Amino acid sequence: PSQNENVAKALAARDYFLLQGPPGTGKTSKALMTILTKTLEEIEGTVTVLAFTNKAIKDVNKKLEAAGIDYLFVSASSDDENSLKAVVKSHDLESFGEYVKQLRVITSTVTSFTKYGRDLSKIFEFNTVIVDEASQLLEPQLVGVLANFNKFILIGDQNQLPAVTVQSNGNTAVTDDELKNIGMTDMKVSLFERLFNRTVEMGWTHAYGTLTEQFRMDESIMQLINHYYHGKLRRAARDPLPLSELYTGDQDSEIK
């Protein structure tokens, strides 16, 4: 239920939406992919998916491949046949332009997009960006990137994936009153966390949401962390699989 509710809110949001995904709630495997596919159905232009780490964006790429969705991976690596480098090497100038113009999904780390985004804007019509692991990114890393898009959706969880900084607390504390008034009290706090806290404080329920059904943990393990989520986490109800789905072939076959 919380997946369905928050996907609907993310799609209905005009400018931005913040989605908190506690452990095991399917924030990438289900929520992100559903938001992406539904957005492609509703808009023209491209949907860009960004993440902090290479591992996270490669996980998204695998899910796109499994769903049969073509994409351009903005990377200097040629390991992925959909990477920018691999596509450039496999096309001449004319066919490259024709190929990339029919693509509607761009994936990249935030760092790579910062490097190549201006050039990409000459080819693609940027519309919506979805940022996974957004709670790991500080304000300066994201603000300039988000300015390229009409709408942004940030997915993260400040309770398990906070931004990492090396500065001491004294060096990151904010003293300016105007910044404090918009919730910017410490520069080591991610943009996701600041905006999430702000929307909760202001009661802007249309702009944020939290996934509450988790598929990973036993009840006793879940309760160890539930206080971080105001006791709202619960195990997702799942019917037991019939024996026909547990086994394949004859009775000597391996269990799936």
Side-chain angles (χ1 to χ4, degrees):
S2 70
Q3 286 181 354
N4 295 334
E5 176 188 354
N6 284 296
V7 166
K9 288 168 69 175
L11 294 172
R14 187 182 66 178
D15 302 312
Y16 71 96
F17 186 75
L18 312 166
L19 179 59
Q20 183 184 34
T25 54
K27 65 183 179 65
T28 302
S29 59
K30 190 67 176 177
L32 185 152
M33 288 300 297
T34 305
I35 291 169
L36 186 149
T37 54
K38 294 292 186 184
T39 301
L40 288 174
E41 294 172 3
E42 295 183 1
I43 69 164
E44 296 181 355
T46 61
V47 176
T48 302
V49 184
L50 305 177
F52 179 48
T53 65
N54 255 310
K55 181 183 182 302
I57 207 65
K58 287 182 177 180
D59 286 344
V60 172
N61 291 347
K62 290 178 181 177
K63 291 175 175 60
L64 291 170
E65 290 173 6
I69 299 174
D70 293 329
Y71 63 93
L72 181 67
F73 177 32
V74 182
S75 170
S77 169
S78 57
D79 295 342
D80 187 327
E81 63 179 14
N82 296 293
S83 72
L84 182 60
K85 184 175 182 178
V87 172
V88 168
K89 290 175 65 176
S90 62
H91 292 76
D92 58 31
L93 189 59
E94 183 177 351
S95 63
F96 172 80
E98 292 175 354
Y99 176 75
V100 297
K101 284 181 180 179
Q102 55 89 30
L103 297 174
R104 298 193 57 212
V105 177
I106 301 169
T107 67
S108 175
T109 62
V110 170
T111 300
S112 291
F113 188 87
T114 301
K115 183 177 181 180
Y116 298 110
R118 180 169 300 203
D119 292 330
L120 291 170
S121 67
K122 300 173 184 177
I123 304 173
F124 297 100
E125 178 189 348
F126 291 146
N127 188 299
T128 299
V129 61
I130 304 171
V131 184
D132 199 14
E133 295 186 339
S135 52
Q136 291 185 284
L137 291 153
L138 295 171
E139 301 229 6
Q141 294 171 296
L142 266 186
V143 169
V145 169
L146 299 183
N148 293 285
F149 299 90
N150 299 325
K151 175 179 175 178
F152 64 85
I153 298 168
L154 304 185
I155 301 175
D157 181 14
Q158 64 271 31
N159 294 330
Q160 60 172 322
L161 293 172
V164 177
T165 58
V166 296
Q167 288 89 351
S168 64
N169 292 341
N171 289 328
T172 61
V174 173
T175 57
D176 184 89
D177 289 336
E178 290 189 22
L179 294 179
K180 287 183 176 180
N181 288 338
I182 62 170
M184 191 180 292
T185 59
D186 197 318
M187 294 304 295
K188 66 175 179 285
V189 173
S190 67
L191 175 65
F192 175 89
E193 183 173 357
R194 179 174 73 84
L195 291 181
F196 193 89
N197 291 340
R198 184 71 167 171
T199 53
V200 171
E201 176 189 350
M202 300 300 294
W204 298 334
T205 54
H206 63 283
Y208 75 93
T210 299
L211 300 174
T212 55
E213 294 93 8
Q214 63 85 21
F215 299 83
R216 183 182 301 162
M217 294 169 282
D218 182 78
E219 181 81 19
S220 57
I221 298 174
M222 183 189 74
Q223 294 306 334
L224 293 174
I225 65 167
N226 211 353
H227 63 283
Y228 291 110
Y229 305 100
H230 309 289
K232 294 181 179 180
L233 272 185
R234 59 182 182 271
R235 290 185 67 192
R238 290 186 290 182
D239 295 329
L241 289 172
L243 288 178
S244 60
E245 292 190 24
L246 288 175
Y247 295 91
T248 58
D250 56 35
Q251 60 183 10
D252 295 325
S253 299
E254 293 182 358
I255 296 176
K256 281 186 178 180

